[in-house]
Amino acid sequence: MEGSIMGQVRHGCATTTHAIRAKIQRSQATTAALSRELGINVKTVAKWRKRETLEDRKTGPTEPSSTVLTTSEEAMVVAFRRYTLLPLDDCLYALQPSIPHLTRSSLHRCLQRNGISRLPDMEGNKPKRQKFKRYPIGYFHIDIAELRTNEGKLYLFVAIDRTSKYAVAQLVDKANRKTAWEFLEAVLEVVPYKIHTILTDNGIQFCEQPRNRNTAYSRSMRFDMICEANGIEHRLTKPNHPWTNGQVERMNRTIKEATVKRYHYDSHEQLRTHLSDFLDAYDYARRLKTLSGLTPYEFICKIWTSEPNRFILNPIHQMPGLNT
């Protein structure tokens, strides 16, 4: 009577099989008589007489809810995810300051309950990403981007460390050799550790043009002279291979999405102020998945404790610097 039928999946505490339940629903006998005949509780007989199916109902609450988050906290999580469309870990790092007891699993369950656990695929089938070769801190990618305000055009120099993700940026009126080496000097002044490698593209701001290299027209550039004086290797990307400098290209896009693509600026000064605030928040407050949930500044401080010989000054005493 209590044996299970092949192919039938019953609840762990079930006292009836599908065959017994079907017999109860077909029988014209009284509930008490069926209870005595089948050797089961009267309430069990009454329950299956009322039902129209033979399957067990799902256990748990009818309306799923969190045992960790309050209703208002869950509403905050849902609104944040729908507005930002950030990945799971980025949502976690951004929300934990406001909801300290939020864990990765409780966040994932919350997103599942509300049907937003998967982000929409905005770019179709994405190619498999290749990981960058691991380098010690001090390998910087540098690039230039063009931005606009109501006053006209500006150029943005951006430098980002391949390992620590620490970013430095500067807005200038012209993108030429002079502003390029001035930006390099500014980066050297603000970064608290030794820079050993700099990667740039083949732009005229950073290197001699290919047709003039190793010829009578070739000349030493101030950018390379500064690198040599500081023991820095200046590497160039391969021509027509912009993805080699992909880290700083991605940082350029991140900055544009947070500034000129989202807001209108009446003046260059408004953009400079917002850019400074954004980069301070990025370097000192934004938790990154690639750094195991640390901010770039926290990651630098962690390296300081294990490899202090790489540092020029104690980063724990460093205040936000250039980014204007």
Side-chain angles (χ1 to χ4, degrees), residues 215-249:
T215 68
Y217 297 100
S218 180
R219 55 180 174 172
S220 298
M221 293 190 59
R222 183 73 176 270
F223 192 95
D224 286 324
M225 293 170 64
I226 296 172
C227 287
E228 185 177 352
N230 289 274
I232 299 172
E233 178 187 358
H234 179 199
R235 296 185 182 180
L236 300 175
T237 61
K238 293 180 181 180
N240 303 319
H241 286 66
W243 55 86
T244 310
N245 213 14
Q247 288 220 17
V248 72
E249 296 280 357

Side-chain angles (χ1 to χ4, degrees), residues 11 18 25 38 56 64 77 90 95 105 137 142 179 184 221 231 233 237 252 262 264 280 293 303 308:
H11 186 274
H18 286 188
Q25 293 175 358
L38 300 174
D56 290 304
V77 170
D90 288 345
L95 289 167
S105 58
I137 59 172
I142 296 181
T179 53
L184 175 58
M221 293 190 59
E233 178 187 358
T237 61
N252 282 341
R262 181 170 292 190
H264 170 78
D280 283 346
I303 298 298

Side-chain angles (χ1 to χ4, degrees), residues 2-21:
E2 296 300 325
S4 61
I5 300 174
M6 181 175 292
Q8 174 186 335
V9 179
R10 293 191 297 162
H11 186 274
C13 298
T15 58
T16 57
T17 64
H18 286 188
I20 294 175
R21 296 167 190 176

